[in-house]
Every structure is written in C-alpha cells, then in structure tokens.
Amino acid sequence: MLNAQEFENWCRRLKISGQARSVIEQIRSSEPVRRVRSNGINVVGSYSSMKMGRTIQFESHKVELPASEEYEQDNDVLEYYDQPYRLSLKVKAKNGRMVTVTHVPDFFVIRKSSAGFEEWKSSVRLEKLAIKQPERYVFSIDVGWLSPPVAEVVEQLGLYYRLRTDKEINWVKYRNRQFLKAYTIKTYQINVEVANRIREQVALTPGITYSDLIQTLKATSDEVNALIANGEIYTDLSVAYLTEPERVHLFVDQAAADAYNRWLLEQKITEENSLFAVISNQTSTTFTSSIHPEAIERYLKASPCDLAQANHRYQIITQQAAGKPTDNATISERTIRYWKAKFILAQKKYNWGYIGLLDNHASKGNRKPKISQQTQDFIDKIIADHYETLKQKGKMAVYGVLKHEWEKTKNPEELPSYVTFCNRIKQRSGYEQTKKRLGSRAAYQQSAFYWELDLTTPPHGDRPWEIAHIDHTQVDVELVCSRTGRNLGRPWATLLMDAYSRRILAVYLTFDEPSYRSIMMVLRICVQRYSRLPETIVVDGGAEFSSIYFETLLAAFGCTKKQRPPAKARFGSVIERLFGTTNTEFFHNLQGNTQITKQVRLVTKSNNPKKQAVWTLDELYAFFCIYSYEFYDNKEHPTLGKSPHQAFTEGIEKSGQRKMQEIIYDENFKIFTLPSTPKGTAKVQPSRGIKINYLYYWSIDDSFIQPEIEGTDVPVRYDPFDMGTAYAYVKGQWIRCISQYYKFFQNRSEREVKLATVELRRTRQKSSKRINLTAKERAAYLEEAEAKEAILEQRLHDLAGLDVRSIIEGRITQPTGEEQKINQSQKVKKLAKSNLKSEKRLEQKIDFNTINPYTNEELW
C-alpha cells in the first residue's frame, strides 16, 4: 500500500482533481460500504491480500476471487478496495419512468497511471442483464461490455469505469499462480548446488518437461517449484497446468522459450507443406454421398428394438442378394420382397436405403391430445391456484374445486375425469411444483445440477491442503457423564476435511452447540497434527463462521474463506457424505445410538437410547480419533479408487512438501487462536488490571505495575474454556493474567458464566432489584447450592470437554474441587451403576486398537 507521502506524490503526478481526490481518500480510509452475501447460487468469502494487508471480500469465487488474485499479482496495481463506494444512478424502469438506484461497484483500483471503479460479472450473467436492462448493459464489438449510466456518473468524478467479464480470466495461469503462491509469499530455502544443477540441465535440454527433469536429476517438486516461482527457470504459466508435469516445458529464460517455439513452428510448417504435396499428387478421388436430414432424424428417434429389427432385416436381404442361404425359414418370400422394395425406395428418396427398414412407429396412431387446449389451460389454472400452494391440499380436494368451478361455466357432461386431472398434476411435477408446495429447501433435491461447460478450477482443488471443509453435525449417540453416570445427551462433532484427498485432518467433540470455540479447537488440532493450515477453507452460513475472530485467524495465516450458499448441500458434498459414512460405519454400531428415534412409535422404555447410553465423551472421542485417523484414512474411497491416506501422500509428493508453510504448535499459537474483545485491546488500569467481558484480570508477574505500561491499551485474549485466565501482550510477549475471583471462575467456560448471568438477572428482575451485576455477584452465584439445572448441566458438559482437551494435549486431569463436590452428591448412584456400566463396555464390538492416538497409551 502507498504511505501518505507516496499517495501525495501519486496525486500530484497524475494531477488528480479535488473532487476525485476526495472520493479516493474516503475509499482509502473507510471500510467496505456493504457486506457481500449469497443469493443462493454464488459462493462468497474473503481473500487474504498480502498487498493490501487486509481481507478482500468477493461475491463470486469464479469471477471476483480470480480478479483479486489478478490485482494481487499485477505490478501496475498499487491498491485495490472491495465494495468501495455507493453511486447514485438514474435509469429507466420497466414502466418507462426514470428512477434513482444505488450501485456499488466490485472494486476501486489505484494503478500507476490511473484510478477507477471496476465491475466483474460472468458473460452469461451480462447477456441476461442486457435483455432485462438494455439501456444499462450494452455490448460493443470494438470495446466489449459497457454500462453507459455508470460510466457517465463515474467520469463526472474524474475517474474511469470498466465492466469486465470472466472471459478475461486465463484459468490456466490462475491455477498455476495458485499452485506457486506459497513459494512467492514465503522463501523456500533451496540448496545452491541443487539449483545450479537444475538450471544447467534445463540449459542443456531446452523444452525438457517438468516430469523428465524430476526423473533425470532426482530433484524434488519443491525445488523445481521454487525456481519457477522465483523466475530462475522459465515456463509459460498460461500454456499448461503445473499439476500435469508431463505437459510443462522448462527453459532457462523467456528468450530461450521464444526461440524454441519459433523452431517448433518452422518444423510444423515444413511438415504441413510435405503433407500438402503428397495429397496434391494423389489421382484418386473420394466420393462422399450426403444423407437427407429427415433420414438422420428418423434414425436418431429409433428405439434400440427398432434398430435391432432393422439390422436383422438388412442381414437377410443382403444374404439373399449374395446368393447365400438364410436361416429364416419362417419368413416368406413376399415379406423379403417387401423389405427390398422399401430399401430401394429409401435409397432413392433419402440416399440411405437402411432407413427404409426401420418401422416408423412414431407416426402411428392418434397422437393428438384427447382434451382441448382450453380445457387443459382450465385444469392448469386450478392446479396452480389450489394444488401448488403451501396449504398442500390433497388431489381429491382440489379436484372437487375443479368440479365446482367447471359446473359454473362449462357443460357438466364434458367434465375432465379424476384420472385426467391426476395425470396433469404428474406432468407438472418437479422442482417448481415441489417448491410451491413444500418450499425451496425441499425442492433443492429436484433442482438441476450446475454443469460447468468451461474448464475453470477443479471443485476439490489440484493438490492436498489447497481446499478444506469445516462443518458440524450432531452425533447419533447418547452419552453419559463419567463422574455421575447422568445422561448428558448427544454431542456435536466438528470435522476438518481435505477436499482433494478426502482425508480427515482433525475432529473435535463437544456438548456445546456449534460456535467459534469448536472451530478454534479443530484448527488447533490440525496444526498440532500437521503443523499447517489449509489455503482455502469452505464453510456454511453459520454465525460462528462469520465472526471477526474466525476471519482474523484466517487472515493472519493467509487462508481464504469461501462461504457456500445456505441450504445448498451440494456445495459441501464431500463433507456431507462423510457425515453419513461416519454414522453408518461408526456411531450406528455403538450402544446408545439414536437410529430407533427416527421411528418414534417404536421407542419404548427398554430400547430408549437414553437408557441404553454407556459411552462418555472422552471415551467416544478417543475411539472416534482412531476411526478417523486410522480406519477411515486407510480404507479405499469409492470416488478416488484409493485410500485418503494414499491420495494425500501421492498428492504431496507430486505438488511438493511446502515446508515453508509450517506453523509451530506452541503456546504462542494456542494463545493466538483464543478470541479477543470486539475492540481487541484493553486499558491497563492501576491496581485493577485489564477488564475483559466485565471481569478484571491481573498479570501473574506484576507486569502491569510498570509506569510505562499503566494507562496504555494492550492487545488481549481470553480462554473461553477457562474464564479465570486471560492473556495480555506486554513488551513483545504474551503475559498470563488471572481473574480477581480466580478461585470461582477457574475452569468455568464462557458459556456457563453467561448462563449464570442470565439466571441471576432473571432473579433480580422478579425481585425488582438492580439488574447490573458485578463480578463478585456472578462468582458467588456460581457457588450457590441452588444453582439452576441448566447451569449444572453446562458444568457437567464443560468437565467432559475438559477430559477431551486433556486427551488432545496428552495430559491426564485430576478432579477439581467442583468435580469432587458433584462426585460426592452422586456417589451412591454412581457406585450402584458402575458394575453394570463396566459389563456393558466390554460388550462393545469395535474393530479398532484401543490406543490413544495422541499419547500412544492404552485407553483401558
């Protein structure tokens, strides 16, 4: 980005007018004027821009996202901003009147010698808009697509306006840029001797393919990729995909590539001239007969049975014409003569005798409808007005309406039958009818697939770690508390899955509903296991995926977020299928699974899953990790034809290890994944410390006492699973801070504290006392014996979650004072059930090793 002095120099050099400068300064200093959103078919998201040092919104991952990538790589682009400014346009409405509308261009671009607004749309979309709004969208053969009303307003501001389409995007170059992006952002350390050896080989054999170079020198993909990204060896990125190394030709520089291409062109011209000479010397001529279009149409309409019959007839008449005996004694000579006559007639009429042997069944019989068009329109109107509505009336009821309306104006004797009425409903069935009766979500299953006719980008990426999906699902198993034996309900599973290899990268189980906490944990686990994060993460429209915390985390590590349209499962099909697979292969084989609840009338006291539950959260999580990381990982995937582990390993070997993208899993990373306040900072108050979520925290090393720290704003983070702990960034390092009521808030989750606050406020409202609560009052309420059921249940959920996080971190938890209190109150009940519970555990039939994948210790 330009600093203040560089921007000033740029304005003077281009002689930017005062009005234009005012608009530019407003755009540079403001946030986007609108948030992008999905209209049900487009994928929106945010792109982490290194050039701008911020995230850039995109409203289409097939148009605006590649545009952002182009701006990022274009040296002529100094700055670019998304959703930058609201323009007021005067356009003609359908009724012919002039109306004022608001238009927000996709980008504002500052280039070395100009600045203006640029709008990106697909060419297909523009063709449709040109029909609906012919004055606003115009196509010119010389210039391309134009928008005169917008251009007129923008030019008055002293800026330019361009309407650009996806036809300008070179998809080969775009995918190759994505492939090499990691090597351009972070430097890959390559051995000097290896680099020189690769360059020497490329110089000796100009045009050597990527794959041949790897095999000849036994080099790695990382080494070759790094040299291409740094410009030390050359290939035209717009010609062949780097993911197809046998088609990629390498040169020492562009001049060598141009010389090689000229030599290939000369060779091609020479070969073509030789071929032309051979063809010209040939004396024989080839006669090609043309077949009548009507014959071709009849042939295409013929059924397989008709074609088989025609083939049989053709074989008989050709055998007889050749004087060979036939095996069809049942066919008379008269019939064979009839077939020959039809063959000869078709040969003269259509120039293709075979067509005469086909039976023209399509023209037989009365094909006209038995009811008039007027009657059919009458039936359609009744169906549209009474059947295809959200009231979901039955067919018989709607037919009664038809009968009543018919008798008012028509002859009762000509009333369409109920069968005719039902047939017409069936003919109208499909997406639109289902949508009108049951809504768009129900009709989604019948909607047409989006067929991508032009090759752009593969939906699941070119390599591992390029695209991953995160999603949540409620597990179909009832669980119990390991401390009290009490039923705690069904947990939620959060999964992170690599789209290319279908490998499960991380799993997390919790009793809490989907939130940023689940996302935080699954990303932590991913870095813990692989020391890196995916380049693009696909999510749904959940509120947790739109939080500032999540987007900040992705931006910090250069991840692009793509948000799929709501209620459109096909956009996340790979992870949606995974949920079904995990249920079928794992959860539905455990005691306490909830399959029976799908047939509520069959549920009794004896087979109720809540009564059958024996699994605890930590036990289930340990076994689910073994299933995900070992059993599923090594099982052949039906789509890939190989296991996810094999696909992942082969993909990494082919595309490179990319170790420069590694993330160190340490205390700093874990603190970085913690959420912050909306402001992101807190003021250090003398003798009180920092205030986070209405709680005061003090540094454990008394860093806040220092005079230069008091009264300053410092970055802060808090632990949503332990409200007794927070962190402050002081003098270049994160300092642990504890609450003034640490004893009461230790290991209590943010969710539990919020529940207690709501309950206490509700109590205050009933007693007409003040509603504002202090930290001391909330801490005391949490310790009260008469705590509400919701808070007690959340406490048990949090303790179970603590067990899971202990497994993840590879440590064993000791009972806290709160746990001992719960254990004491439920001791008799737990002891009574312990023997039965142990026996039920032994009955479980699980084909996995009982080893904790994190600690390599036996689970039992």
Side-chain angles (χ1 to χ4, degrees):
M1 291 182 63
L2 302 174
N3 58 36
Q5 186 59 49
E6 290 171 340
F7 176 71
E8 182 69 27
N9 295 338
W10 178 83
C11 290
R12 289 179 179 175
R13 179 169 59 84
L14 299 184
K15 299 179 181 179
I16 301 296
S17 65
Q19 184 181 16
R21 178 165 181 165
S22 176
V23 172
I24 297 173
E25 288 178 344
Q26 178 182 341
I27 293 172
R28 297 181 80 236
S29 60
S30 304
E31 292 296 317
V33 298
R34 63 182 285 267
R35 294 280 295 179
V36 297
R37 60 184 184 275
S38 174
N39 59 12
I41 58 174
N42 58 312
V43 175
V44 302
S46 56
Y47 170 77
S48 298
S49 169
M50 300 296 293
K51 178 178 285 189
M52 297 300 297
R54 56 182 289 180
T55 57
I56 302 296
Q57 299 181 101
F58 57 86
E59 211 157 14
S60 168
H61 71 144
K62 291 297 180 70
V63 182
E64 293 178 20
L65 177 57
S68 299
E69 187 69 33
E70 180 180 311
Y71 295 145
E72 194 77 11
Q73 301 293 333
D74 192 348
N75 293 328
D76 184 54
V77 176
L78 303 176
E79 296 178 356
Y80 64 101
Y81 300 86
D82 62 287
Q83 311 299 317
Y85 195 75
R86 283 192 172 90
L87 300 171
S88 295
L89 310 177
K90 290 186 177 180
V91 296
K92 185 179 292 186
K94 292 182 179 180
N95 57 10
R97 300 178 61 181
M98 298 299 294
V99 295
T100 302
V101 298
T102 300
H103 173 64
V104 179
D106 294 326
F107 298 100
F108 180 77
V109 185
I110 297 178
R111 299 180 180 272
K112 290 181 179 179
S113 58
S114 61
F117 298 97
E118 297 189 7
E119 179 81 9
W120 287 80
K121 292 186 182 298
S122 70
S123 55
V124 175
R125 174 67 175 161
L126 281 172
E127 290 171 1
K128 294 179 180 178
L129 289 173
I131 297 174
K132 295 180 179 179
Q133 306 175 53
E135 295 185 357
R136 185 169 175 179
Y137 297 98
V138 179
F139 181 75
S140 170
I141 297 177
D142 299 328
V143 182
W145 284 100
L146 301 171
S147 182
V150 183
E152 182 180 352
V153 172
V154 172
E155 288 171 1
Q156 292 176 359
L157 300 175
L159 304 168
Y160 76 82
Y161 178 80
R162 286 183 63 190
L163 191 56
R164 307 184 66 178
T165 74
D166 55 346
K167 296 296 184 184
E168 300 180 45
I169 301 171
N170 185 316
W171 291 107
V172 178
K173 193 172 186 178
Y174 171 69
R175 282 173 59 181
N176 286 336
R177 281 177 172 175
Q178 294 296 100
F179 187 89
L180 297 173
K181 185 177 179 180
Y183 300 92
T184 57
I185 295 176
K186 295 183 179 180
T187 304
Y188 179 80
Q189 299 296 333
I190 181 172
N191 184 278
V192 177
E193 294 182 3
V194 174
N196 291 335
R197 191 166 71 251
I198 292 174
R199 284 194 294 266
E200 289 173 3
Q201 183 65 40
V202 172
L204 289 173
T205 54
I208 185 173
T209 64
Y210 188 117
S211 57
D212 289 343
L213 179 64
I214 294 288
Q215 293 175 3
T216 302
L217 299 181
K218 305 299 181 184
T220 66
S221 299
D222 282 310
E223 293 164 346
V224 178
N225 293 342
L227 292 177
I228 295 174
N230 297 332
E232 297 186 48
I233 57 176
Y234 175 82
T235 184
D236 190 345
L237 296 179
S238 61
V239 172
Y241 298 111
L242 292 173
T243 53
E244 300 174 358
E246 66 280 356
R247 298 180 56 201
V248 177
H249 296 275
L250 302 174
F251 306 90
V252 290
D253 52 30
Q254 186 173 354
D258 293 341
Y260 180 81
N261 290 332
R262 283 195 297 270
W263 176 79
L264 284 180
L265 182 61
E266 291 173 0
Q267 292 293 111
K268 185 177 180 181
I269 293 173
T270 303
E271 291 175 1
E272 289 179 350
N273 290 339
S274 300
L275 180 62
F276 178 76
V278 171
I279 294 175
S280 300
N281 292 331
Q282 290 182 347
T283 57
S284 61
T285 59
T286 303
F287 173 77
T288 304
S289 60
S290 59
I291 300 175
H292 197 280
E294 185 181 341
I296 298 176
E297 185 178 357
R298 282 186 57 186
Y299 176 79
L300 294 175
K301 289 182 178 180
S303 67
C305 293
D306 292 339
L307 294 175
Q309 192 177 47
N311 293 337
H312 177 64
R313 294 171 179 175
Y314 181 77
Q315 183 181 9
I316 290 174
I317 63 175
T318 53
Q319 285 178 348
Q320 193 180 68
K324 298 179 181 179
T326 61
D327 299 331
N328 297 275
T330 57
I331 302 176
S332 65
E333 288 293 328
R334 182 177 179 182
T335 301
I336 297 176
R337 286 198 302 272
Y338 173 70
W339 291 344
K340 288 181 178 179
K342 291 185 65 177
F343 183 90
I344 295 171
L345 181 63
Q347 184 69 35
K348 293 179 179 178
K349 184 177 181 181
Y350 301 118
N351 210 9
W352 190 15
Y354 175 84
I355 209 69
L357 302 178
L358 287 172
D359 287 329
N360 192 13
H361 293 298
S363 61
K364 296 179 181 179
N366 183 10
R367 303 285 173 172
K368 296 181 180 179
K370 297 181 180 179
I371 59 175
S372 65
Q373 185 62 43
Q374 185 179 6
T375 301
Q376 188 168 302
D377 294 341
F378 184 88
I379 296 174
D380 287 346
K381 188 176 186 310
I382 295 296
I383 293 173
D385 294 344
H386 298 276
Y387 182 78
E388 295 174 345
T389 66
L390 294 177
K391 290 183 179 180
Q392 301 179 41
K393 291 182 179 180
K395 294 179 182 178
M396 185 60 73
V398 177
Y399 182 71
V401 175
L402 183 145
K403 186 176 180 181
H404 179 71
E405 294 296 326
W406 182 275
E407 292 174 349
K408 288 182 180 180
T409 58
K410 307 288 184 180
N411 184 359
E413 295 181 357
E414 298 177 356
L415 175 69
S417 68
Y418 178 69
V419 174
T420 301
F421 172 74
C422 292
N423 287 338
R424 188 54 187 163
I425 289 178
K426 187 177 181 180
Q427 292 171 7
R428 290 170 59 95
S429 64
Y431 173 79
E432 290 297 332
Q433 188 178 95
T434 306
K435 181 180 179 181
K436 292 174 182 178
R437 283 178 61 84
L438 302 176
S440 57
R441 182 165 295 188
Y444 177 66
Q445 300 297 330
Q446 296 177 300
S447 61
F449 279 92
Y450 172 72
W451 298 105
E452 192 168 338
L453 301 180
D454 297 323
L455 184 61
T456 54
T457 57
H460 305 310
D462 283 315
R463 64 191 186 280
W465 294 110
E466 183 178 3
I467 300 174
H469 292 254
I470 294 182
D471 207 350
H472 319 276
T473 185
Q474 193 167 22
V475 174
D476 291 347
V477 175
E478 294 282 344
L479 302 184
V480 296
C481 178
S482 61
R483 295 162 175 81
T484 66
R486 174 178 175 171
N487 183 279
L488 296 180
R490 297 162 57 193
W492 285 86
T494 302
L495 277 70
L496 174 65
M497 180 187 191
D498 179 66
Y500 177 84
S501 64
R502 312 300 199 273
R503 192 177 203 184
I504 300 176
L505 302 175
V507 297
Y508 179 65
L509 292 183
T510 178
F511 281 112
D512 293 340
E513 293 184 355
S515 66
Y516 70 88
R517 295 180 288 273
S518 304
I519 305 172
M520 173 188 73
M521 289 305 302
V522 82
L523 293 178
R524 272 192 187 182
I525 295 168
C526 180
V527 173
Q528 182 193 53
R529 299 187 69 233
Y530 296 100
S531 298
R532 64 177 299 182
L533 290 173
E535 296 176 11
T536 298
I537 295 180
V538 181
V539 299
D540 61 18
E544 68 274 14
F545 295 118
S546 300
S547 65
I548 296 176
Y549 150 74
F550 179 61
E551 293 190 349
T552 302
L553 180 64
L554 295 186
F557 292 100
C559 300
T560 298
K561 185 190 83 169
K562 289 186 179 182
Q563 182 176 315
R564 67 193 198 209
K568 299 292 188 294
R570 291 174 191 161
F571 286 82
S573 58
V574 290
I575 199 165
E576 295 291 345
R577 291 193 190 102
L578 177 60
F579 290 151
T581 301
T582 55
N583 274 330
T584 304
E585 295 184 346
F586 183 73
F587 294 116
H588 288 172
N589 295 315
L590 302 179
Q591 187 167 330
N593 72 78
T594 59
Q595 292 184 86
I596 191 69
T597 58
K598 295 178 181 178
Q599 304 178 58
V600 181
R601 293 182 179 275
L602 300 181
V603 178
T604 63
K605 188 175 182 180
S606 61
N607 65 8
N608 191 327
K610 293 183 179 295
K611 300 295 182 182
Q612 295 288 319
V614 295
W615 286 87
T616 62
L617 185 67
D618 55 326
E619 294 168 349
L620 181 67
Y621 179 71
F623 273 100
F624 188 43
C625 287
I626 296 171
Y627 166 80
S628 302
Y629 303 150
E630 296 179 19
F631 180 79
Y632 172 85
D633 198 41
N634 291 287
K635 179 185 175 184
E636 181 176 316
H637 194 282
T639 302
L640 303 175
K642 61 185 73 171
S643 69
H645 176 81
Q646 183 181 356
F648 185 88
T649 304
E650 291 176 357
I652 290 293
E653 183 179 355
K654 185 177 179 180
S655 62
Q657 295 283 345
R658 302 167 186 259
K659 291 187 177 181
M660 62 284 191
Q661 291 184 307
E662 288 186 353
I663 301 170
I664 300 175
Y665 184 78
D666 56 9
E667 197 65 25
N668 284 330
F669 171 77
K670 288 190 284 187
I671 293 173
F672 194 85
T673 59
L674 297 177
S676 183
T677 60
K679 185 180 177 182
T681 59
K683 180 177 286 187
V684 179
Q685 303 182 27
S687 73
R688 304 195 74 177
I690 55 177
K691 190 176 184 180
I692 302 174
N693 295 330
Y694 306 101
L695 301 177
Y696 280 100
Y697 295 85
W698 188 261
S699 61
I700 58 174
D701 61 352
D702 293 333
S703 298
F704 294 162
I705 298 179
Q706 303 175 32
E708 63 272 23
I709 300 300
E710 289 185 351
T712 62
D713 289 333
V714 295
V716 294
R717 304 270 179 175
Y718 68 91
D719 192 340
F721 300 113
D722 181 6
M723 291 302 289
T725 303
Y727 297 88
Y729 195 71
V730 180
K731 290 187 175 181
Q733 61 180 344
W734 287 101
I735 304 299
R736 183 169 177 261
C737 306
I738 59 174
S739 169
Q740 62 184 131
Y741 300 104
Y742 180 76
K743 175 184 175 182
F744 306 109
F745 289 109
Q746 179 189 11
N747 288 330
R748 293 190 184 273
S749 69
E750 178 186 24
R751 185 178 177 85
E752 182 184 358
V753 173
K754 286 183 177 180
L755 283 173
T757 304
V758 171
E759 292 292 337
L760 187 52
R761 280 204 180 100
R762 192 174 298 163
T763 304
R764 289 285 177 81
Q765 287 175 339
K766 292 180 181 178
S767 59
S768 300
K769 294 182 179 180
R770 60 183 176 82
I771 299 178
N772 295 331
L773 304 174
T774 64
K776 183 177 181 179
E777 289 172 329
R778 282 186 283 180
Y781 183 76
L782 286 170
E783 288 296 299
E784 288 183 1
E786 62 271 16
K788 298 292 184 180
E789 177 76 13
I791 301 174
L792 176 60
E793 187 172 356
Q794 183 61 44
R795 174 93 286 245
L796 296 176
H797 287 178
D798 292 342
L799 293 174
L802 182 62
D803 294 339
V804 170
R805 292 191 295 278
S806 298
I807 293 176
I808 295 171
E809 297 295 337
R811 55 177 197 265
I812 301 173
T813 27
Q814 298 296 331
T816 63
E818 177 65 23
E819 295 176 45
Q820 293 173 359
K821 184 182 297 184
I822 294 175
N823 289 345
Q824 186 175 4
S825 64
Q826 301 287 340
K827 187 174 182 181
V828 176
K829 185 177 180 181
K830 182 180 179 182
L831 289 174
K833 289 188 175 182
S834 61
N835 293 334
L836 177 62
K837 184 178 178 183
S838 298
E839 292 174 3
K840 288 182 177 178
R841 279 200 193 119
L842 294 174
E843 293 174 0
Q844 299 299 308
K845 304 292 185 181
I846 302 178
D847 298 326
F848 314 122
N849 297 323
T850 54
I851 300 296
N852 187 326
Y854 291 97
T855 63
N856 291 324
E857 298 175 353
E858 292 187 2
L859 293 173
W860 307 120

